[in-house]
Amino acid sequence: MPIRPLAAIAAALVVHAGPVLAQRTGDQARLIFTVSGAYLDRKALWSVSSQPVPDVGGGTGVDNFALSRGIMRTFGAGFSGTYFAGEHVGISADAFLIGLGFEDNCRIEGNLQSAQNGEICDFIDQRERRAAAVTVSAGGLFRINSRDPISPFARVNAGLLFSNQSAIRTEGFTNQGVLLTIYDDDSDTRVSPSFGLGIGVTFALARAYHLRFEVRDNIVGVQEVTGATPGPRVIPPHKEKFQQLFSLLVGLDVILERDRGRRY
């Protein structure tokens, strides 16, 4: 995970913000909107060690596929609004583009029985499928040193994950374009619970702008395959499991209101 280069950038920005960081802000941000970019790391999802696949060409041979799927590393984006009634505790609403694309792996266990099955397995292997999953959530945020140029915070959110790609469906093509669906699914879209736990810090760049860094644990419900099927073209045994997707967010706070009555 390329977190060290991002940390170096953060340190450089803090140094350049020295004239601002040398003094207290004096007043307190009440209403804040944040636009963020994010990096999300790779995550293993499910694996099946031996899935029987009959010869797609109609022969009598059967091959055993070792299949696995992971969540791709990706970049995301977020938008949030936070209101503080006091110095420390605020309520927030958050929309976060989390990606949730998949990368697959396949290998043949034992001797290859069907050349076309080998082509399908090669197609599946290292296949990447990008997606556009979004979490929409609300929660609470606790900060300290709210009137200082540097203000640490922690958050907890709960909401829903909306995804447009099945985590179960697995399919591949032969070199002649014949499609074989190994695992089917009744729907490619899902709505599932999501939670977020984050810690971070803000740096005052100017009276109306703060730079925000946050490490967040995105806990989302994703379907996973739990076992092999007697053959292809069926929905496999599966269950919903909560996955922890860690992300690093870098954002800009726009402060619209302060307790001294100044508006921006």
Side-chain angles (χ1 to χ4, degrees):
M1 181 190 305
I3 289 182
R4 290 184 178 177
L6 291 171
I9 294 172
L13 289 169
V14 172
V15 170
H16 287 296
V20 176
L21 300 180
Q23 57 184 349
R24 295 173 65 87
T25 62
D27 51 2
Q28 175 197 340
R30 288 293 186 95
L31 182 60
I32 302 172
F33 290 99
T34 304
V35 178
S36 302
Y39 169 83
L40 295 98
D41 202 12
R42 178 184 286 117
K43 176 76 174 183
L45 187 54
W46 55 258
S47 64
V48 175
S49 59
S50 183
Q51 171 59 53
V53 178
D55 183 1
V56 71
T60 58
V62 176
D63 289 296
N64 290 298
F65 285 14
L67 299 167
S68 64
R69 174 164 293 170
I71 297 172
M72 297 171 54
R73 64 165 55 103
T74 188
F75 292 95
F79 178 79
S80 65
T82 308
Y83 174 74
F84 289 92
E87 291 207 11
H88 301 296
V89 179
I91 55 175
S92 67
D94 184 272
F96 187 27
L97 177 62
I98 202 170
L100 209 63
F102 302 125
E103 53 187 10
D104 295 343
N105 290 279
C106 178
R107 71 175 186 275
I108 302 292
E109 294 292 330
N111 295 325
L112 181 66
Q113 303 298 313
S114 165
Q116 288 184 310
N117 283 357
E119 294 170 2
I120 290 171
C121 190
D122 288 342
F123 179 91
I124 294 172
D125 192 44
Q126 299 183 357
R127 181 188 182 195
E128 295 183 350
R129 294 182 296 147
R130 300 190 179 276
V134 176
T135 63
V136 178
S137 61
L141 188 147
F142 180 82
R143 64 182 179 181
I144 59 177
N145 301 331
S146 62
R147 298 177 187 271
D148 288 354
I150 300 177
S151 178
F153 66 89
R155 77 163 68 244
V156 57
N157 282 24
L160 295 173
L161 168 71
F162 299 87
S163 59
N164 66 348
Q165 183 168 249
S166 170
I168 299 171
R169 188 186 304 277
T170 305
E171 55 193 14
F173 287 89
T174 67
N175 294 344
Q176 290 73 38
V178 177
L179 172 66
L180 176 64
T181 299
I182 298 175
Y183 296 145
D184 208 349
D185 197 359
D186 53 8
S187 176
D188 286 334
T189 60
R190 288 284 191 280
V191 179
S192 56
S194 71
F195 304 93
L197 302 172
I199 57 172
V201 63
T202 62
F203 299 93
L205 298 178
R207 291 182 60 86
Y209 301 99
H210 288 173
L211 186 65
R212 178 178 297 261
F213 293 89
E214 180 180 349
V215 177
R216 187 180 300 184
D217 182 5
N218 306 279
I219 306 168
V220 296
V222 183
Q223 299 289 323
E224 67 168 15
V225 177
T226 58
T229 62
R233 304 181 183 91
V234 297
I235 298 175
H238 62 279
K239 66 178 181 180
E240 185 173 79
K241 182 178 179 179
F242 284 101
Q243 299 288 338
Q244 292 181 281
L245 307 180
F246 288 95
S247 59
L248 174 63
L249 294 90
V250 180
L252 180 68
D253 291 349
V254 179
I255 301 160
L256 300 183
E257 185 176 333
R258 293 176 181 266
D259 64 355
R260 288 183 179 177
R262 181 183 297 272
R263 299 184 64 87
Y264 299 92

